[in-house]
Amino acid sequence: MQLSSDRTYWAEHAWLGTHVEPGVALDVSEDGRIAAVRLGVETPEPGAVVLRGLTLPGLANAHSHAFHRALRGTVQVGSGTFWTWREIMYQFASRLTPESYFRLARAVYAEMALAGVTAVGEFHYLHHAPGGRPYDDPNAMGEALIAAAQEAGIRITLLDTAYLSSGFGAEPDAHQLRFSDRTAQAWAARVSALKPRDGVRIGAAIHSVRAVPADQLGTVAQWARSAEAPLHVHLSEQTAENDACLAAHGCTPTQLLASHGVLGPSTTGVHNTHLTDADIALLGSSGTGTCMCPTTERDLADGIGPAVALQRAGSPLCLGSDSHAVIDLFEEARAMELNERLRTRTRGHWTAAALLRAASADGYSALGWATGGVLEPGALADFTCVALDSVRTAGPLPRLGAETAVFAATSADVRHTVVGGRHVVRDGVHALVPDAAGELAAAIAELRS
């Protein structure tokens, strides 16, 4: 289906970073950027596309494992830990091919667009065929994810992930052979063949300190610096990882990354759950970002990370749906605040504005899109519109739209999603994947058969 070529959108109400403004015209240039933000436009102009409700900057899902979506509803009950969950996850990973991964990811990214997500950071480590044999195109799996995002109409930063060992000093196990390039140098050679293109950025990731030997961490970091690419890393998600790192290296994972030049403003630690005060100071002073994934962290019983302390120390916060227990950036945003309320028994750690920024502008920045996630001239024309008349959002005054979006709305309230000025979701229907639910069901059933 052809996407809309409309170039002017009229927002009934728009969130401009500090307040809600009624009657805003968003003019979009041919290169997919916001050419002008015109205030006080009380009624839609002829030819303008009408966005009823609250228009927000596009949401950035900064941490995704697309194939984990297949686990939804199968791993949420019963006893166990992250490590028992991981074994089930490996079973699904073992069945994916480039073709089946494309079909699943296309539907997952369509679900994201329907939830108001306009950019995704795909933390991608499923590189090779079963047994570790490279495909004829060594980047076939990564290219499948890129194609899936393009067909679903959202931006993608492919965070190609180095995953070389199963633990400190241990070879990859049978499941992990698909993930491993054997050495960081081989990883760098393969990822260098991936090229950015319209709507696509190529980034790097270190799966974790247990999955990349210490003497090879610098190779990954240097590749990211040379490519001016974002670098992400799972960090201290589990206390077992911390204990193993202390046993192997006599320091915490954060300290190990710092000593090998991994930390910095272009780096984002994902989860950052079990940190010492010294770790927090290192992350903050280096400008290393933090990606919180509250719905996954609570689903896996990982714990509540020190987000407030990290931000105060200087670590910018962004959000991700990670394992996709749900895909709902509004839920991720409010969960960060509500988790902190439970932990401290006090309220008001972030304003709604700060939480929306974590879900938009700061997520874009963490993914290497410097001008996304804001409704300003020159910014990427990525925005989403939330209904203010659903059973969840009806009642509050429109000027309280930010609070309504963060603390009451869900992904089901998204009515429109625009990416690069193109209308990807219109009136709750995806323009390119109109039967996203059916495609999800079919792709997941294929993996279970």
Side-chain angles (χ1 to χ4, degrees), residues 62-80:
H63 191 67
S64 163
H65 300 293
F67 76 91
H68 289 192
R69 174 61 178 82
L71 279 69
R72 186 186 296 177
T74 66
V75 294
Q76 271 72 45
V77 296
S79 60

Side-chain angles (χ1 to χ4, degrees), residues 173-197:
D173 65 22
H175 292 297
Q176 296 161 345
L177 290 173
R178 296 198 71 176
F179 312 159
S180 180
D181 292 297
R182 300 295 183 178
T183 68
Q185 289 80 6
W187 167 85
R190 179 183 55 73
V191 74
S192 293
L194 288 162
K195 301 301 179 186
R197 61 210 79 163

Side-chain angles (χ1 to χ4, degrees), residues 15 47 63 138 197-198 235 288 305 315 334 337 355 364 376-377 401:
W15 171 251
H63 191 67
R197 61 210 79 163
D198 187 31
L235 180 57
T288 301
S315 179
R334 67 172 155 264
E337 166 68 24
L355 293 169
Y364 266 82
E376 298 175 358

Side-chain angles (χ1 to χ4, degrees), residues 52 124 169 198 268:
R52 295 286 177 189
H124 167 56
D198 187 31
T268 298

Side-chain angles (χ1 to χ4, degrees), residues 95-121:
R95 300 167 188 162
L96 284 163
T97 65
E99 295 75 20
S100 64
Y101 205 3
F102 165 78
R103 289 190 289 273
L104 175 61
R106 180 177 183 262
V108 173
Y109 297 149
E111 181 183 358
M112 290 186 192
L114 288 163
V117 171
T118 51
V120 62

Side-chain angles (χ1 to χ4, degrees), residues 11-22 24 26 37 39 53-59 351-358 360-361 373-376 383-384 398-403 405-406:
E12 184 180 27
H13 304 279
W15 171 251
L16 300 183
T18 57
H19 66 286
V20 173
E21 187 77 27
V24 176
L26 300 168
V37 178
L39 310 184
L54 174 67
T55 297
L56 303 167
L59 306 178
T351 63
L355 293 169
L356 283 176
R357 181 173 180 84
S360 55
V374 292
L375 300 182
E376 298 175 358
F383 36 92
T384 188
R399 64 181 175 79
L400 299 176
E403 288 76 9
V406 170

Side-chain angles (χ1 to χ4, degrees), residues 33 341 389 401:
R33 293 183 177 273
R341 292 183 185 186
D389 58 357

